[in-house]
Each structure stands twice: as structure tokens, then as C-alpha cells.
């Protein structure tokens, strides 16, 4: 009875610690990410205001807003993935390769590298295939947002 209860309590403590450190990481990262997103947003809006009148007369306000939103989300995701996923994975792979080279023959490290390379190539190919559909979806989404926002901006023309 003692051992299962101890294991259950240990599991709960590990899960609690994992959640705590995840939230602490997000708390520390939020200030940096918000500052970067704010600065890039100001730069984008400055650029939009500097564009010629012909651009603004094309009435692409909804599409621009959607593109800005997607760009902001992409910047946050890319930064977070790089810091909290890719960098630790590369460190883990490096440590695993060092252990394989140290304790076993070099062929094990080569097989591991080959497997990782195949996985990365497969992932890139599938992602590129998916991106075609994603781009098409984003274009249609921007077009529908263009029409929705522009109809609201030109309410009196649409209504009367």
C-alpha cells in the first residue's frame, strides 16, 4: 500500500513542478515577446501610413488586418518554438550523440543522425505540401475579410 501511494504522490509532484516551470517560463517570456510584437506592429503601421494614396483606395483593409494578425501570431509562435522547443531538442540530440559515441560504436550515432535527417526531410516535404492548401485558405480568408470590413466601412453605400 505504501509504494503505490508514494509513486502516486511523486507523480503528482512531478506534474505540479512541470506545470509550475511551464508557467514561469511563459511569464518570463511574455515581456520579451510583447515588446518585440509591439515594436514590429509600430513599424508595420508606420509603413502602411507611408504607402501612397492609390494603395489605400484599393480598399483592402480587411485583408491587411488579417495579414497583420496572422503575422503577429506567427512571430510569437516562431520565437516561442525556437526558444522552447527547437533549442532544447538540438541540445538533447547533441547529448544523445555524445553518449552514443562515448559508450557505443560510431555506427549507432550515424544511424541516429540518418534517422533524424530522414524525419526532417519527410516533415519538410509534408509541410510544404500542406502549405499550398494553407496559403489558398489564407487568401480566401483575406478576401472574405476584405469584403466584410469594406462593407462595414461603406455602410451607407451598401445600405442605401
Amino acid at each position: 500500500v505504501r509504494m503505490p501511494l508514494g509513486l502516486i504522490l511523486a507523480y503528482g509532484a512531478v506534474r505540479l513542478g512541470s506545470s509550475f516551470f511551464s508557467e514561469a517560463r511563459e511569464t518570463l517570456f511574455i515581456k520579451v515577446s510583447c515588446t518585440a510584437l509591439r515594436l514590429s506592429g509600430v513599424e508595420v503601421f508606420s509603413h502602411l501610413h507611408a504607402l501612397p494614396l492609390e494603395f489605400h483606395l484599393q480598399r483592402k483593409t480587411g485583408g491587411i488586418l488579417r495579414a497583420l494578425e496572422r503575422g503577429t501570431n506567427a512571430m510569437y509562435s516562431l520565437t516561442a518554438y525556437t526558444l522552447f522547443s527547437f533549442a532544447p531538442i538540438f541540445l538533447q540530440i547533441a547529448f544523445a550523440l555524445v553518449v552514443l559515441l562515448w559508450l557505443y560504436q560510431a555506427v549507432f550515432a550515424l544511424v541516429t543522425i540518418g534517422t533524424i535527417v530522414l524525419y526532417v526531410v519527410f516533415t519538410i516535404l509534408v509541410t510544404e505540401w500542406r502549405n499550398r492548401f494553407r496559403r489558398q485558405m489564407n487568401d480566401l480568408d483575406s478576401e472574405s475579410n476584405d469584403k466584410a470590413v469594406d462593407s462595414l466601412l461603406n455602410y451607407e453605400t451598401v445600405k442605401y
Side-chain angles (χ1 to χ4, degrees), residues 60-68 70 141-143 145-146 149:
K60 299 278 186 195
T61 309
I64 291 170
L65 291 175
R66 286 297 291 150
L68 287 172
R70 282 195 294 267
D141 184 46
S142 294
E143 186 179 327
N145 253 17
D146 275 342
V149 170

Side-chain angles (χ1 to χ4, degrees), residues 33-88:
S33 65
C34 283
T35 302
L37 293 175
R38 182 179 50 81
L39 292 175
S40 65
V42 167
E43 190 174 321
V44 167
F45 272 110
S46 296
H47 175 73
L48 286 173
H49 286 291
L51 290 172
L53 179 63
E54 292 82 27
F55 174 81
H56 294 285
L57 292 177
Q58 290 176 353
R59 293 287 188 187
K60 299 278 186 195
T61 309
I64 291 170
L65 291 175
R66 286 297 291 150
L68 287 172
E69 182 182 344
R70 282 195 294 267
T72 302
N73 291 338
M75 282 180 52
Y76 178 80
S77 297
L78 186 61
T79 307
Y81 286 141
T82 301
L83 287 176
F84 302 130
S85 293
F86 298 144

Side-chain angles (χ1 to χ4, degrees), residues 32-159:
V32 174
S33 65
C34 283
T35 302
L37 293 175
R38 182 179 50 81
L39 292 175
S40 65
V42 167
E43 190 174 321
V44 167
F45 272 110
S46 296
H47 175 73
L48 286 173
H49 286 291
L51 290 172
L53 179 63
E54 292 82 27
F55 174 81
H56 294 285
L57 292 177
Q58 290 176 353
R59 293 287 188 187
K60 299 278 186 195
T61 309
I64 291 170
L65 291 175
R66 286 297 291 150
L68 287 172
E69 182 182 344
R70 282 195 294 267
T72 302
N73 291 338
M75 282 180 52
Y76 178 80
S77 297
L78 186 61
T79 307
Y81 286 141
T82 301
L83 287 176
F84 302 130
S85 293
F86 298 144
I89 286 172
F90 287 131
L91 281 173
Q92 289 174 351
I93 290 170
F95 289 145
L97 291 175
V98 166
V99 168
L100 287 173
L101 287 171
W102 185 265
L103 297 177
Y104 302 101
Q105 298 172 359
V107 72
F108 290 105
L110 291 174
V111 167
T112 302
I113 291 171
T115 303
I116 291 169
V117 166
L118 286 174
Y119 174 75
V120 168
V121 167
F122 173 76
T123 302
I124 289 171
L125 291 174
V126 170
T127 301
E128 287 300 318
W129 173 75
R130 275 188 69 242
N131 280 345
R132 286 185 290 166
F133 302 111
R134 188 85 179 173
R135 283 186 196 100
Q136 188 178 27
M137 181 191 73
N138 286 342
D139 290 343
L140 292 172
D141 184 46
S142 294
E143 186 179 327
S144 70
N145 253 17
D146 275 342
K147 291 176 182 172
V149 170
D150 289 340
S151 71
L152 291 173
L153 290 175
N154 297 315
Y155 171 77
E156 63 278 348
T157 305
V158 174
K159 182 75 174 182

